[in-house]
Amino acid sequence: DALADRYTIERELGSGGMATVYLAHDIRHDRNVALKVLKSDLAESLGRERFLREIRLAARLNHPHILSLHDSGDAVGFLYFVMPLMQGQTLRDRMREEGQLPIDVAVRLVQEIAEALDYAHRHDVVHRDIKPENILLHEGHALVADFGIGKAVVAAAASGATTLTQVGVTVGTPAYMSPEQAAGDEIDGRSDLFSLGCVMYEMLTGEAAFTGPTVQAIIAKRFHFSPPSVSVTRSTVPASVSRTIERLLERDPAGRIASGALVVAALREQDTSTPAQAARQTPRPAEQSVAVLPFANMSANVDDGYFA
């Protein structure tokens, strides 16, 4: 009712721990949109000002691989934001269909995601929940969705908002969470890049990098376990791609690739050999030469000169 003069709510599209998404019609611009309404308990904990401040920062992001924000606000206590309605799959949908993605497709999509993250990080926005469900595929290209409320949730939790704990709200997904995020430490853009490494690992192998019977086990595993190289599961993955994933999954942020731009640069290396082929290759000099040295026949029998 509060939005009736601006949006016609058609039906529910889906619901998660933080929000419910509706198909809506934007009356003013005559277009369908996705309208996401925060759960009431979460909205109460965040507070209107904190929510709108963080959404305002996310709305400033203008990049071809970031899903834009059209609108946001407070409608009689309901906090909401509005996004384009994308007709297509999520990366998760495609991974379920295909298992292992073609190598060239996976590398291209990761480059696009890394470009989006590099742009957001340079504008002081960390996503905090990079996972296949938050990567939309539009016309074959990646769009990173759900920038915005992660930082607000973390800030609310730090301020002692007990409602967040009561409703079980967390930021981040265990299978893709960086070690520093799982430990509750201060994070920066390198945390998103660890998550991107987990996504890429799964795209190429068809298996999650970190698994376990419980959430606690999955989180704990990243502190003492390094997943096998992607080349173990898929020998056709180029050596440079395998190395890039290993560098993204470094436990210590200081040893990780530092920016999305560097991820893109690493994946553009002209090394198409597989790890097995790279191991067999030996360095060769640019030029080869033969040295001809004079020998004297020191044999006692001059006829043995050939064998001497």
Side-chain angles (χ1 to χ4, degrees), residues 210-293:
F210 301 100
T211 59
T214 64
V215 169
Q216 291 80 2
I218 294 171
I219 289 175
K221 205 165 186 179
R222 71 208 58 235
F223 292 101
H224 62 81
F225 168 80
S226 295
S229 170
V230 294
S231 59
V232 172
T233 301
R234 193 170 179 181
S235 60
T236 53
V237 174
S240 59
V241 173
S242 183
R243 286 196 300 269
T244 299
I245 295 173
E246 290 168 7
R247 292 171 62 197
L248 286 171
L249 295 181
E250 285 282 350
R251 292 191 194 96
D252 183 356
R256 210 173 293 154
I257 299 180
S259 72
L262 292 175
V263 174
V264 174
L267 292 174
R268 284 178 178 164
E269 289 180 4
Q270 297 301 308
D271 179 3
T272 58
S273 61
T274 66
Q277 291 169 334
R280 291 196 297 268
Q281 292 174 354
T282 55
R284 299 177 64 183
E287 296 181 359
Q288 293 180 316
S289 37
V290 176
V292 180
L293 305 177

Side-chain angles (χ1 to χ4, degrees), residues 106-271:
V107 168
R108 178 177 57 78
L109 290 175
V110 168
Q111 287 177 328
E112 293 174 351
I113 299 165
E115 288 173 354
L117 291 176
D118 184 71
Y119 173 85
H121 297 161
R122 285 188 284 108
H123 287 77
D124 300 320
V125 178
V126 179
H127 191 287
R128 288 179 161 81
D129 197 17
I130 293 296
K131 58 184 177 182
E133 289 81 356
N134 282 337
I135 309 299
L136 308 181
L137 301 180
H138 179 64
E139 297 293 326
H141 294 281
L143 280 174
V144 183
D146 272 7
F147 278 99
I149 64 172
K151 185 178 177 182
V153 172
V154 171
S159 67
T162 56
T163 311
L164 292 178
T165 304
Q166 291 167 2
V167 299
V169 172
T170 58
V171 178
T173 302
Y176 307 96
M177 201 180 285
S178 70
E180 61 270 27
Q181 186 177 6
D185 297 336
E186 193 78 22
I187 66 169
D188 57 25
R190 293 172 296 181
S191 178
D192 283 345
L193 297 180
F194 182 94
S195 302
L196 179 59
C198 293
V199 171
M200 191 176 190
Y201 187 97
E202 193 170 350
M203 290 166 73
L204 289 171
T205 66
E207 302 171 359
F210 301 100
T211 59
T214 64
V215 169
Q216 291 80 2
I218 294 171
I219 289 175
K221 205 165 186 179
R222 71 208 58 235
F223 292 101
H224 62 81
F225 168 80
S226 295
S229 170
V230 294
S231 59
V232 172
T233 301
R234 193 170 179 181
S235 60
T236 53
V237 174
S240 59
V241 173
S242 183
R243 286 196 300 269
T244 299
I245 295 173
E246 290 168 7
R247 292 171 62 197
L248 286 171
L249 295 181
E250 285 282 350
R251 292 191 194 96
D252 183 356
R256 210 173 293 154
I257 299 180
S259 72
L262 292 175
V263 174
V264 174
L267 292 174
R268 284 178 178 164
E269 289 180 4
Q270 297 301 308
D271 179 3

